[in-house]
Amino acid sequence: MGDDDTNRWPKIIPERIVSWSPGRGREISDVVDKKILHAFKGVKSFPLKRIIIQFWRPETIGGKRLLACYGCPYALSLANHRLWKYRSRCIKYYYSIDDLGVPDDPMTISGAPPATAFLNHFPEVVLDLRVHRGTPLVDLALECELTCFMMIPVFSETGCVGIVEVSMRIPADLLVIFNDIKRELKRAGLSITPPRASWQPHKSIGITRGGFTLAKSEIAEALQVAVQSHAVPLGQVWMAYENLYDRTSRMLLGKLNHFCVNLPGDPLSSVEFFYRDLVLLSMKKMITVEGLIGRTLATRQPHLCKNIHKLRDNRGVLAVLSANVKCASFVICLRSSHTGEVNYLFEFFWPQTLDHLALMEALLLTLREHLPSFKYASGARLGDELLVVDVDNSSSGSASTPLKIFPRNKSSVAGRKRTRASLGMETRSIEGQSELTNINDPEGDDDLIILAVYKIDYRLFYLPSSPTYKVFLEKVYQEFDLNPVGTYTIEYQVLPGDWYSLTNGSCLKSCVSSYRTSKNIDYIKLHVRAVEK
């Protein structure tokens, strides 16, 4: 104890750093890379966790359109050798963004993110990489203890300029990182959605300007009243749009309006921030990938999911939310006489502990009052008997027996008032709002962050919250590839200059206790030394 730290502890920066080494000539100017670099520097969340952020941008090599990350900005902790190993291998690979079939180059990957995210102009999320084994970089990510990733398209005024990849260990960190990246890209003059000037209502729906204006006016008023009067944290409306500059005229879902109720300390406020600038969704992805909006649009049937956390088959928007927030979602398709067969998708989020049936009835009755020109997509009037597909969360998103709203059309103003009172909806505060809590998976969380030094080498690694001494030793030996028959001493630091021997389970418990109780320790310092014989 009491040794001078400079004699045993080198200067190490364990936190995530941002780097950029401009490489060979590219199609996109370095201006984009500089903006990406600036954005990455602004992402401050979880600096010590197992997270790598890197940029993939398009280029043409040998007449083929590819995505590459070589020479592009990236952010990681250099003290975590697994992250560095993953990065050093990624720069050798390409992703094909051409429709020229399967490439014959073993270093070129096709039909997988980030290429699909680039082509669809839509974020993609995989919450469990184990289901995608067989792809070289997925196998490498798992080897490097990365278990999930998120691919985010990045846009300038001219179109999609590349993909931001975020690969990490803990899915519960996805939403915070997504919101951070979205905010910092915006500050740098970039966006996660195509520029608004490039899209308009899809030509196939054939609406008139006057009729569309009337429908929008009704929607704006009805959405605000419904969200405020029932204290629903978030409500939004989507409709079909198209990109004016996209030769494929891909149909998109554009946000027509949204309204939220912000309560102090409301965990769902992060969901509202998540959706605030996410104003455009790929129609292709919303229909082909499991999701309430896609299902509702495809079937014209309303859908309810009582806990989006269990919709694990999502790869887009709901995947980010389901990894972080416990809440329910309800989507219904309506049409207005002002715009004919145009479909408007009303989407609401609320705490999963509420009475879903009563809340859906109350919302629909409020919408009926303020949407005089609207009916269900089936043609029935708002307030008529309605069957809602109740998504069965226990069986990978399959549908269970539908819920019946307004059975035999027995609804009344008195009944509506009782429903609202029973839910505590007369004010902007809902009892049970605190149930919207962040999800922490104790089995998967990197609870103990450890920075260890052996000779001139150092490692940033992680252990579960309550490791045994045997597990602890095995991890240390594995990280430094120590001789299994060798003898080593391990010491840990509590305060600067104070080192204590770590020789058994009791010492380990004392070390962990000091780490948990101290507000000034971001990680546990270990010093490993070989015993001379």
Side-chain angles (χ1 to χ4, degrees):
M1 295 186 296
D3 290 353
D4 186 354
D5 271 9
T6 58
N7 294 331
R8 67 167 74 194
W9 198 261
K11 290 185 178 180
I12 304 171
I13 302 176
E15 292 81 9
R16 184 171 60 241
I17 65 168
V18 179
S19 183
W20 175 41
S21 301
R24 55 184 179 272
R26 305 274 186 164
E27 292 182 5
I28 300 177
S29 71
D30 287 343
V31 172
V32 171
D33 277 347
K34 290 177 181 177
K35 290 182 177 181
I36 294 293
L37 183 73
H38 179 75
F40 284 2
K41 288 181 178 179
V43 179
K44 304 296 185 182
S45 299
F46 316 118
L48 291 168
K49 286 200 174 182
R50 196 165 3 205
I51 297 173
I52 178 172
I53 308 171
Q54 56 185 359
F55 185 58
W56 296 80
R57 64 176 176 180
E59 62 178 62
T60 300
I61 299 178
K64 298 178 180 179
R65 293 279 291 169
L66 305 169
L67 288 178
C69 67
Y70 174 80
C72 295
Y74 62 92
L76 53 79
S77 170
L78 294 178
N80 189 315
H81 71 287
R82 287 183 173 84
L83 294 182
W84 181 247
K85 177 182 178 181
Y86 178 72
R87 167 66 186 179
S88 63
R89 291 281 294 277
C90 283
I91 62 176
K92 299 177 181 179
Y93 280 87
Y94 300 93
Y95 282 93
S96 173
I97 51 176
D98 270 333
D99 296 326
L100 301 177
V102 179
D104 53 8
D105 180 6
M107 304 306 290
T108 300
I109 304 169
S110 66
T116 48
F118 180 86
L119 294 172
N120 291 319
H121 291 182
F122 187 69
E124 292 210 18
V125 180
V126 174
L127 297 178
D128 187 354
L129 288 176
R130 292 173 297 180
V131 301
H132 294 278
R133 290 183 185 274
T135 302
L137 292 185
V138 169
D139 292 343
L140 177 63
L142 291 169
E143 180 185 332
C144 296
E145 299 181 347
L146 299 169
T147 63
C148 65
F149 68 58
M150 171 170 57
M151 304 292 177
I152 307 172
V154 180
F155 297 87
S156 69
E157 290 300 319
T158 60
C160 187
V161 296
I163 297 292
V164 170
E165 173 194 350
V166 183
S167 292
M168 61 180 66
R169 167 75 172 175
I170 307 301
D173 299 337
L174 279 172
L175 183 57
V176 175
I177 292 291
F178 180 91
N179 284 337
D180 280 358
I181 289 176
K182 182 181 69 170
R183 180 191 64 243
E184 296 305 320
L185 287 173
K186 187 174 182 179
R187 288 177 177 175
L190 300 171
S191 174
I192 63 170
T193 54
R196 186 72 184 242
S198 69
W199 47 287
Q200 66 177 10
H202 199 273
K203 59 186 177 183
S204 66
I205 61 180
I207 59 177
T208 63
R209 181 180 296 273
F212 188 41
T213 300
L214 291 173
K216 285 198 300 181
S217 178
E218 287 186 27
I219 288 172
E221 178 185 351
L223 191 64
Q224 179 174 350
V225 173
V227 168
Q228 283 187 325
S229 62
H230 303 298
V232 174
L234 177 63
Q236 50 196 10
V237 179
W238 305 85
M239 66 171 290
Y241 281 81
E242 66 177 333
N243 191 331
L244 295 175
Y245 307 115
D246 189 340
R247 291 175 297 176
T248 64
S249 293
R250 181 187 295 115
M251 190 174 286
L252 307 164
L253 280 177
K255 187 188 298 182
L256 191 61
N257 212 326
H258 89 285
F259 199 84
C260 65
V261 172
N262 287 323
L263 301 174
D266 178 11
L268 202 58
S269 61
S270 59
V271 179
E272 190 277 329
F273 181 75
F274 170 82
Y275 270 113
R276 187 180 303 164
D277 296 320
L278 191 62
V279 295
L280 204 62
L281 307 177
S282 167
M283 185 80 81
K284 176 181 177 182
K285 295 303 295 179
M286 294 310 297
I287 291 178
T288 59
V289 177
E290 295 295 334
L292 296 192
I293 294 180
R295 297 183 195 184
T296 304
L297 182 63
T299 64
R300 308 296 191 269
Q301 292 180 297
H303 282 70
L304 169 72
C305 178
K306 298 173 184 176
N307 184 2
I308 66 170
H309 172 59
K310 295 185 178 180
L311 282 175
R312 290 294 187 177
D313 49 358
N314 280 287
R315 294 180 60 189
V317 174
L318 279 184
V320 179
L321 297 182
S322 67
N324 294 267
V325 181
K326 290 182 178 180
C327 65
S329 178
F330 171 56
V331 183
I332 187 167
C333 184
L334 303 180
R335 291 178 176 177
S336 169
S337 59
H338 296 309
T339 52
E341 296 185 356
V342 176
N343 295 306
Y344 299 93
L345 296 160
F346 286 70
E347 180 182 32
F348 299 94
F349 292 92
W350 60 70
Q352 67 183 67
T353 53
L354 297 184
D355 184 335
H356 307 294
L357 185 62
L359 184 51
M360 286 189 293
E361 288 187 347
L363 280 171
L364 289 173
L365 286 173
T366 301
L367 291 177
R368 183 178 67 177
E369 288 185 12
H370 298 276
L371 294 174
S373 72
F374 281 76
K375 294 182 178 180
Y376 299 133
S378 64
R381 297 180 304 169
L382 293 176
D384 286 353
E385 182 174 290
L386 180 69
L387 295 179
V388 177
V389 177
D390 182 11
V391 177
D392 183 358
N393 294 318
S394 64
S395 57
S396 301
S398 62
S400 60
T401 303
L403 294 172
K404 185 176 290 188
I405 297 181
F406 308 124
R408 297 178 299 280
N409 201 26
K410 289 186 178 180
S411 59
S412 65
V413 175
R416 174 186 159 206
K417 288 183 178 178
R418 287 196 300 272
T419 299
R420 293 177 64 181
S422 66
L423 289 171
M425 292 182 178
E426 297 298 340
T427 67
R428 293 171 62 91
S429 175
I430 295 183
E431 183 180 356
Q433 191 85 27
S434 61
E435 294 299 324
L436 286 163
T437 55
N438 289 335
I439 294 170
N440 293 311
D441 181 3
E443 295 183 359
D445 201 1
D446 293 328
D447 198 53
L448 301 180
I449 303 173
I450 297 174
L451 183 62
V453 170
Y454 174 65
K455 296 183 178 179
I456 62 172
D457 202 2
Y458 55 88
R459 293 284 189 271
L460 182 69
F461 60 92
Y462 311 86
L463 284 171
S465 57
S466 301
T468 64
Y469 187 66
K470 180 182 178 181
V471 169
F472 166 76
L473 280 183
E474 288 176 348
K475 187 67 173 177
V476 172
Y477 273 65
Q478 176 189 1
E479 288 294 322
F480 292 107
D481 195 21
L482 300 179
N483 185 347
V485 298
T487 304
Y488 303 88
T489 63
I490 302 176
E491 295 176 305
Y492 70 93
Q493 186 188 75
V494 178
L495 296 173
D498 290 341
W499 293 86
Y500 296 85
S501 296
L502 211 166
T503 57
N504 53 43
S506 297
C507 295
L508 179 60
K509 288 182 180 179
S510 177
C511 171
V512 172
S513 177
S514 299
Y515 170 71
R516 295 195 187 287
T517 56
S518 175
K519 296 181 180 180
N520 301 318
I521 301 177
D522 295 324
Y523 48 86
I524 297 172
K525 283 186 177 181
L526 294 183
H527 188 208
V528 182
R529 287 188 286 190
V531 176
E532 300 292 338
K533 295 184 178 179

